[in-house]
Amino acid sequence: MTQTVTQTMVKVRNVSKRYRKVNALADFDLDVPKGAIYGLIGPNVAGKTTLLRILAALLQPSTGQVWIDSEEIHASPSVIQRKVGYMPDFFGVYPDLTSAEYLEFYAGIHGIPHKKQAQTVTDLLELVDLSAKRDALVETLSRGMKQRLCLARALVHDPEVLLLDEPASGLDPRARVELRELLRTLQGMGKTVIISSHILLELAEMCTDVAIVQGGRLVVAGNVEQVSRRLSGGRQLEIRVLDRVPEVVAALKEQPTISNIINHEDTLILADFVGDDTALHHTLVTLITRGLPVISFAPRSSGGRLEEVFMSITEGNSQS
């Protein structure tokens, strides 16, 4: 059988960044697969923005090395800046420019030939669904539209890697959904996206992989389900019943794969589970054969579990 090998697009090794007496990053390692939507989760001042600036070749680490597509960043920063599009957590806009003029300006900065700029701008405005706002002044755009325009700006030179710092911050629910769909479109175009945020459920829904960052250090990294299981010690089950809750709890306590049983609501029971799918099936069969009135029985969603894991890790952190 042929084994599929995932290509690493971004590699970070032993990276530290020190500002006077503060370590923004400490011995940081990370591997980002090509084509991933990779989420960096952490409270404010966790080191996420510092890492993104290092990846964008805008900041040099105190120690360590970083490669993007096998190119070492500080050996060839100009090459890296052509491969990377960076969208900071604040966006400097020019309110007296139209959306098209704004993108034309940045196309010129990136050396896009003048004869290609008009088509580049048209394509980008269509991609981020702002064609109807082509001639609108930037200052008249909603926050969500401005975010999409700044994302188009980061894409103007067709980079392979996108670095997005808190792009969902301040967006309403509809704008977040639009952003999520746009990121999936970019992933389908072959882009690798690294996105930082503390909006955990949004990352769980839109990302293929996540890394939890705390105090400048990597706590854990992997795909969303792996991270949830690794930090929680397994999966958490949601079991909803019609009644006879004490009997259901008693039956669960007999199972060696079940622990930490919580009667979350009157008819909803949460329980930690460690085992494979066969053991999971056996637990359900046990409840059914005893005639217990189970309505639903399923592992809890990764998003909710991931949020609990994150909150337990960062508990007591006033900067979150």
Side-chain angles (χ1 to χ4, degrees):
M1 181 181 293
T2 302
Q3 185 176 1
T4 302
V5 178
T6 303
Q7 181 179 344
T8 300
M9 175 57 77
V10 178
K11 182 185 292 186
V12 179
R13 289 293 179 271
N14 304 118
V15 165
S16 297
K17 181 61 182 178
R18 187 173 181 83
Y19 297 102
R20 295 184 180 178
K21 296 182 179 181
V22 177
N23 283 319
L25 291 172
D27 297 322
F28 203 97
D29 290 344
L30 191 68
D31 289 285
V32 178
K34 185 174 184 178
I37 302 179
Y38 205 107
L40 298 176
I41 303 175
N44 295 331
V45 201
K48 306 186 304 295
T49 296
T50 296
L51 177 62
L52 291 181
R53 289 175 179 171
I54 289 173
L55 296 179
L58 299 175
L59 192 64
Q60 188 165 355
S62 302
T63 60
Q65 290 180 289
V66 179
W67 294 264
I68 292 183
D69 198 20
S70 302
E71 295 276 356
E72 207 282 320
I73 282 185
H74 291 287
S76 49
S78 60
V79 173
I80 296 303
Q81 289 174 354
R82 288 196 296 272
K83 289 178 176 286
V84 169
Y86 176 50
M87 178 178 166
D89 58 350
F90 63 91
F91 42 88
V93 296
Y94 298 82
D96 294 332
L97 296 180
T98 66
S99 298
E101 291 169 341
Y102 178 76
L103 293 179
E104 286 170 359
F105 173 75
Y106 279 97
I109 288 177
H110 283 283
I112 307 297
H114 185 73
K115 62 182 180 180
K116 293 184 178 180
Q117 288 182 16
Q119 188 61 51
T120 297
V121 168
T122 297
D123 292 344
L124 287 172
L125 289 173
E126 182 178 354
L127 176 66
V128 300
D129 196 24
L130 287 177
S131 297
K133 297 294 182 178
R134 179 186 186 93
D135 298 320
L137 292 176
V138 171
E139 65 180 355
T140 67
L141 301 180
S142 68
R143 181 174 178 83
M145 290 177 181
K146 287 179 180 178
Q147 290 286 66
R148 284 181 291 170
L149 182 63
C150 289
L151 181 56
R153 180 192 74 189
L155 288 163
V156 76
H157 57 301
D158 194 23
E160 298 174 48
V161 178
L162 278 171
L163 308 174
L164 311 180
D165 197 357
E166 298 280 356
S169 178
L171 298 185
D172 61 38
R174 180 181 179 84
R176 288 180 184 170
V177 170
E178 291 171 348
L179 174 64
R180 183 169 68 241
E181 293 305 313
L182 179 54
L183 292 182
R184 287 173 178 163
T185 297
L186 293 171
Q187 182 189 30
M189 295 167 60
K191 308 292 185 188
T192 301
V193 182
I194 303 177
I195 174 173
S196 79
S197 182
H198 57 272
I199 304 174
L200 305 175
L201 291 179
E202 288 296 328
L203 284 189
E205 291 174 2
M206 73 174 63
C207 292
T208 58
D209 304 81
V210 294
I212 295 180
V213 185
Q214 168 80 347
R217 295 183 181 274
L218 179 66
V219 177
V220 66
N223 69 48
V224 172
E225 190 64 34
Q226 286 174 339
V227 169
S228 296
R229 291 190 192 184
R230 181 173 171 184
L231 291 179
S232 66
R235 287 178 281 186
Q236 188 174 59
L237 301 181
E238 284 187 345
I239 305 166
R240 190 173 290 278
V241 296
L242 281 173
D243 50 30
R244 299 169 63 186
V245 171
E247 293 176 64
V248 175
V249 171
L252 290 172
K253 286 181 177 179
E254 296 173 7
Q255 305 301 309
T257 56
I258 296 289
S259 64
N260 193 28
I261 301 171
I262 303 169
N263 185 197
H264 190 262
E265 297 174 3
D266 287 344
T267 59
L268 175 65
I269 299 167
L270 303 180
D272 286 342
F273 172 84
V274 178
D276 57 18
D277 288 343
T278 300
L280 188 65
H281 172 70
H282 176 75
T283 301
L284 177 58
V285 169
T286 298
L287 298 178
I288 297 299
T289 54
R290 294 189 183 186
L292 296 171
V294 177
I295 297 174
S296 62
F297 179 99
R300 200 172 183 194
S301 67
S302 299
R305 193 62 172 150
L306 184 62
E307 185 164 28
E308 287 184 5
V309 168
F310 174 78
M311 292 304 293
S312 68
I313 289 173
T314 59
E315 186 176 4
N317 190 321
S318 61
Q319 297 164 328
S320 62

